[in-house]
Amino acid sequence: MKQTIKDLLQVVVQDQEVTVKGWVKNRRGSKNVAFVSMNDGSCANNIQIVVDFNNIPEETFKNITVGACLCVKGQLKKSEGQGQDREVVAESVEIYGLANDKYPFQPKFHSLEFIRDNAHLRSRTATFSSIFRIRHALAYAVHKYYNDNGFYYVHTPIITASDAEGAGEMFRVTTLDLHKLPKTETGEIDFKEDFFGRATNLTVSGQLEGELMAMGLGKIYTFGPTFRAENSNTTRHLAEFWMIEPEMAFYELEDNMDLAEDFVKYVIRYALDNCKEDLDILEKRLIEEEKNKKQEEKSPMNLIDKLKFVVENNFERITYTEAIDILLNSNYHKKKKFQYEVKWGVDLQSEHERYLVEKHFEKPVILTNYPKDIKSFYMKQNDDGKTVRAMDVLFPGIGEIIGGSQREENYEKLETRMKQMGVPTDELWWYLDTRRFGTAPHSGFGLGFERLVQFVTGMGNIRDVIPFPRFPKGAEF
């Protein structure tokens, strides 16, 4: 069984025989000896290979270029050189795959834009291998948290006939021949001829189906791909992304807030405890990038400090109305520093959310009881007739990271609200049935996984935290 570089960097050095396989990151040589830096993706750190030309032909070394893939057999020995405490003295080198001088990631600084242009190879870079190891760790922590807290993992449909968000920005799923579309007598596309016998789309959320499962299993969560055909070519949007959506029977708004706070603290703490080397690499890169920014554009804290800021503070809980009052009375508002308008009834922008977190409270914030007119049909209505039992969790640097609510369990109120908002009750009869048969208080929330990975890694562009991003005019690989 081959040893990973992660293993070799942890064992006691006893001049033991080892086999290392990986990709060349750097190489330098003199007349009689050369040094090769290798990485196999198992950890952030490289291992140094010593190539003695008395043992390894110099011709072989000429083919050991940056990007080449090698199998090295030799002895693991203590190193006298700077930067490492051990190295592998090669006894044999087999070149699995050559790489010529067109290999894009030579040993020098590369901009994120350049790396995105070569995204098919970016898992070889130190920055992106760290990002994707952290992504894995966070995904594992999500499943562990919910499993350990008595939740059941549910796979909700990817193909759906309903629009949970009511936004209408969905990808159509069809097997119809686009060159010979069947039409009804009125000239519309006849989806009765389609595979499912009706119009279907890729889902934007598993929430509605998740609610159905929670009303029998108690506590469930989904963690799957979702899709939105929003024509937003920005650093904050993806057409394909992953959502974590817990739904809990018998949870009211306060319970929902408690769970959301405990959950995000757990997964971020898991990353701090288990991804130190990768976080250090990303923090160093961010510190270098900050040097070139204007003072007003700089982040208020370093990456690891920002993560500890979330884990170590109790989240402040205030109502939307209280937040509006704070913003209106702030010096930022009085000096007209906010780009967007502040008044009761508006959907808060990221700049408002960040002011509350970073300037006013200096801790994460949970906002509750939003105006019903800016929230979805399924949220529980408050007795004031103006607000719903919604909640948003706000973080430094990005603003909203979680959105959720107590769900409306009253059949008459839900049906009336759906009709008011133009949501077809006949198509969602099955959703209304849960309010007809044994309704109960229940709550849930959604967390965009890429938004979480973006926060933990400090990356400014959401396309950098998913292996193969999908966006308008972008579906490579």
Side-chain angles (χ1 to χ4, degrees):
M1 183 177 179
K2 89 173 185 72
Q3 303 101 320
T4 65
I5 289 173
K6 182 178 181 179
D7 294 334
L8 295 182
L9 293 175
Q10 293 174 344
V11 300
V12 176
V13 179
Q14 298 176 319
D15 293 356
Q16 60 266 52
E17 292 287 331
V18 297
T19 299
V20 187
K21 300 179 182 181
W23 294 271
V24 176
K25 297 295 178 181
N26 204 347
R27 48 164 263 171
R28 54 191 173 86
S30 60
K31 187 174 182 180
N32 300 314
V33 68
F35 301 95
V36 177
S37 183
M38 279 176 57
N39 189 282
D40 64 358
S42 63
C43 65
N45 292 318
N46 303 327
I47 197 164
Q48 179 168 280
I49 310 297
V50 181
V51 179
D52 188 331
F53 296 148
N54 292 318
N55 299 326
I56 308 298
E58 194 169 351
E59 277 301 309
T60 300
F61 177 69
K62 289 179 181 177
N63 289 320
I64 302 176
T65 55
V66 173
C69 187
L70 312 180
C71 172
V72 177
K73 295 182 180 180
Q75 286 194 337
L76 184 67
K77 292 181 173 289
K78 290 183 178 179
S79 175
E80 301 299 327
Q82 290 186 339
Q84 70 274 332
D85 67 348
R86 65 195 63 200
E87 59 195 12
V88 175
V89 178
E91 295 172 351
S92 70
V93 176
E94 179 182 357
I95 300 175
Y96 282 160
L98 298 170
N100 61 29
D101 58 6
K102 292 183 179 180
Y103 177 67
F105 300 128
Q106 299 297 322
K108 61 180 181 179
F109 178 83
H110 298 290
S111 70
L112 293 174
E113 290 77 12
F114 177 81
I115 298 174
R116 281 184 213 118
D117 289 341
N118 294 278
H120 57 302
L121 297 170
R122 65 180 176 172
S123 64
R124 304 259 197 104
T125 67
T127 296
F128 282 87
S129 59
S130 288
I131 290 169
F132 296 133
R133 278 189 294 268
I134 290 171
R135 183 183 172 106
H136 160 79
L138 290 170
Y140 174 78
V142 168
H143 288 297
K144 180 169 173 53
Y145 176 85
Y146 285 116
N147 180 73
D148 292 352
N149 283 279
F151 283 70
Y152 297 105
Y153 178 32
V154 169
H155 299 102
T156 51
I158 292 174
I159 299 173
T160 179
S162 63
D163 181 359
E165 298 298 321
E169 298 162 334
M170 303 179 76
F171 289 101
R172 181 77 70 195
V173 174
T174 183
T175 58
L176 294 176
D177 185 343
L178 299 184
H179 299 290
K180 299 176 184 178
L181 290 172
K183 300 291 181 72
T184 64
E185 291 180 358
T186 57
E188 297 174 334
I189 297 173
D190 187 1
F191 285 106
K192 289 182 180 178
E193 299 294 318
D194 208 350
F195 185 89
F196 292 106
R198 62 187 302 177
T200 53
N201 310 286
L202 295 178
T203 187
V204 298
S205 169
Q207 178 200 315
L208 302 188
E209 293 88 351
E211 284 186 56
L212 307 188
M213 299 301 288
M215 296 304 281
L217 291 172
K219 297 191 296 185
I220 68 95
Y221 73 104
T222 74
F223 187 176
T226 50
F227 309 84
R228 183 163 291 166
E230 183 178 359
N231 192 21
S232 297
N233 216 336
T234 75
T235 60
R236 293 167 55 88
H237 293 88
L238 289 168
E240 176 184 285
F241 51 99
W242 288 67
M243 285 289 291
I244 301 155
E245 297 175 294
E247 292 290 332
M248 299 76 63
F250 317 119
Y251 271 50
E252 299 195 22
L253 185 62
E254 197 71 28
D255 307 308
N256 207 21
M257 289 191 283
D258 291 344
L259 179 74
E261 179 172 346
D262 190 58
F263 165 57
V264 291
K265 283 183 173 179
Y266 176 91
V267 294
I268 292 171
R269 189 181 298 112
Y270 186 90
L272 284 167
D273 291 344
N274 294 276
C275 305
K276 186 178 185 308
E277 291 176 352
D278 290 314
L279 288 171
D280 285 343
I281 283 176
L282 296 175
E283 179 166 86
K284 287 173 185 174
R285 182 183 182 103
L286 288 168
I287 289 171
E288 286 300 311
E289 289 176 353
E290 291 283 299
K291 292 178 181 178
N292 299 319
K293 291 182 179 178
K294 297 177 182 177
Q295 188 60 39
E296 62 270 19
E297 296 174 344
K298 291 186 177 182
S299 175
M301 58 189 85
N302 289 337
L303 177 60
I304 293 173
D305 288 339
K306 184 180 69 173
L307 302 183
K308 290 179 178 178
F309 173 88
V310 170
V311 170
E312 295 171 359
N313 281 294
N314 291 325
F315 293 8
E316 188 73 28
R317 301 181 182 190
I318 61 169
T319 66
Y320 168 92
T321 301
E322 290 169 333
I324 291 294
D325 289 342
I326 290 169
L327 293 168
L328 287 173
N329 290 314
S330 69
N331 286 330
Y332 262 57
H333 176 69
K334 292 173 181 176
K335 294 180 180 179
K336 303 186 185 307
K337 288 187 176 182
F338 288 129
Q339 180 181 350
Y340 294 95
E341 183 182 20
V342 178
K343 68 176 182 178
W344 200 95
V346 302
D347 205 356
L348 295 181
Q349 300 294 320
S350 178
E351 62 173 347
H352 306 138
E353 296 166 340
R354 290 185 60 184
Y355 174 84
L356 294 168
V357 173
E358 297 167 20
K359 304 294 184 184
H360 188 81
F361 289 109
E362 296 184 342
K363 62 173 68 174
V365 174
I366 305 180
L367 290 188
T368 61
N369 297 323
Y370 280 77
K372 69 177 184 180
D373 292 340
I374 60 172
K375 288 297 182 180
S376 298
F377 70 90
Y378 49 73
M379 296 187 177
K380 183 172 178 61
Q381 299 164 47
N382 285 318
D383 294 337
D384 61 12
K386 298 190 303 181
T387 62
V388 289
R389 305 205 79 193
M391 67 157 209
D392 285 349
V393 180
L394 313 181
F395 271 16
I398 60 171
E400 180 198 339
I401 193 166
I402 285 177
S405 70
Q406 185 173 341
R407 314 311 191 189
E408 181 57 76
E409 81 273 15
N410 182 283
Y411 174 81
E412 287 78 17
K413 287 184 178 181
L414 179 60
E415 184 183 43
T416 300
R417 187 73 179 135
M418 290 171 74
K419 289 177 178 177
Q420 288 174 347
M421 298 184 71
V423 178
T425 55
D426 55 336
E427 292 182 12
L428 290 177
W429 61 268
W430 45 270
Y431 185 66
L432 286 163
D433 261 5
T434 59
R435 278 70 173 176
R436 287 191 184 100
F437 308 128
T439 190
H442 61 289
S443 299
F445 61 79
L447 167 62
F449 186 54
E450 282 71 31
R451 186 69 66 87
L452 173 66
V453 180
Q454 201 177 356
F455 178 77
V456 173
T457 60
M459 302 305 291
N461 192 323
I462 201 165
R463 297 176 191 176
D464 292 334
V465 299
I466 189 168
F468 306 104
R470 299 289 182 255
F471 49 90
K473 303 296 186 291
E476 293 286 349
F477 321 120

